[in-house]
Amino acid sequence: MWLNSMPGMEDVHCTDLTNDMEDGLVLIRAFKIMEPGCVDEKKYEHTPKNKFMKVANCNYVVKCGNELKFSLVGIGGNDIHEGNHKLILALMWQMMRHDVIKHLKGVDEAGICQWANQRVSACEKDEAATNGAKHAMESLKDPSLSNCLFYLDILHAMEPRAIDWSIVTAGESEDEKCTNAKY
């Protein structure tokens, strides 16, 4: 979700971390967006034609991560190319954490709530699937968040294809809240 919702990645839709990362290009692009200047355009293959070029790109991804002080011990380009899910998740988690922390510096709870409410209110939703309901929160401790509908609204606002509203419950009972939270 984080990768698909990054500004500048609108034409990318990753659904499978093991296959979508094999040539390193999506990750290189993410590094370019989240940390401008960290990628040298001359140091990777823009159109890799074989396994060796793809692995070289993935090695460059690891190099970029190391330059940003990520903990990538035991992770090599071949691990990314071969689709080692656990190691790719370790890299992605650090990338996401780096990006989110960078954007949240100096933001307080009121700012987070304001941003989230603005994103949800500006988003168009399928009236039939959701009865047109839009949710809002007053604080990060707002009891209405327990049904997870606001979180699903935020995810929908960031990536409309992410939510299948037909499986979202009203969140009225504890079981329904749990179902929404798991989704």
Side-chain angles (χ1 to χ4, degrees):
M1 280 299 296
W2 162 77
L3 189 63
N4 288 336
S5 67
M6 284 181 79
M9 297 286 273
E10 291 84 6
D11 60 330
V12 174
H13 187 70
C14 294
T15 57
D16 182 356
L17 290 180
T18 56
N19 291 323
D20 293 342
M21 306 299 159
E22 74 172 355
D23 64 6
L25 292 175
V26 170
L27 295 168
I28 289 170
R29 187 167 168 190
F31 272 116
K32 287 176 13 181
I33 292 168
M34 66 184 237
E35 199 62 46
C38 82
V39 173
D40 183 341
E41 294 294 323
K42 298 175 187 169
K43 294 196 175 185
Y44 70 95
E45 291 292 332
H46 297 259
T47 54
K49 295 174 178 55
N50 59 48
K51 177 182 178 173
F52 300 106
M53 291 177 173
K54 292 176 182 180
V55 171
N57 280 355
C58 293
N59 282 329
Y60 188 62
V61 165
V62 173
K63 183 176 187 278
C64 290
N66 285 326
E67 288 174 4
L68 293 175
K69 309 290 188 230
F70 291 1
S71 176
L72 300 175
V73 177
I75 300 177
N78 198 52
D79 296 314
I80 297 169
H81 175 72
E82 294 296 323
N84 185 317
H85 197 72
K86 183 177 178 181
L87 297 179
I88 293 170
L89 282 175
L91 170 65
M92 292 292 295
W93 171 249
Q94 291 179 74
M95 290 176 74
M96 181 180 73
R97 183 179 183 277
H98 177 86
D99 189 50
V100 169
I101 287 173
K102 181 178 166 183
H103 286 94
L104 289 181
K105 284 189 178 178
V107 176
D108 60 1
E109 181 177 336
I112 293 169
C113 292
Q114 179 184 9
W115 171 85
N117 285 327
Q118 286 173 343
R119 288 295 297 256
V120 168
S121 68
C123 180
E124 293 183 23
K125 287 171 56 177
D126 180 355
E127 299 286 328
T130 63
N131 295 325
K134 288 188 179 177
H135 305 91
M137 69 172 172
E138 294 180 21
S139 76
L140 296 175
K141 295 179 182 178
D142 189 330
S144 71
L145 296 175
S146 67
N147 65 17
C148 295
L149 295 174
F150 185 73
Y151 298 128
L152 294 168
D153 282 347
I154 290 175
L155 290 171
H156 176 79
M158 293 169 56
E159 175 54 64
R161 300 171 290 186
I163 305 298
D164 177 357
W165 291 104
S166 68
I167 62 175
V168 174
T169 70
E172 293 171 357
S173 70
E174 289 303 313
D175 285 343
E176 286 183 347
K177 290 177 181 180
C178 188
T179 298
N180 287 347
K182 287 178 182 176
Y183 179 59

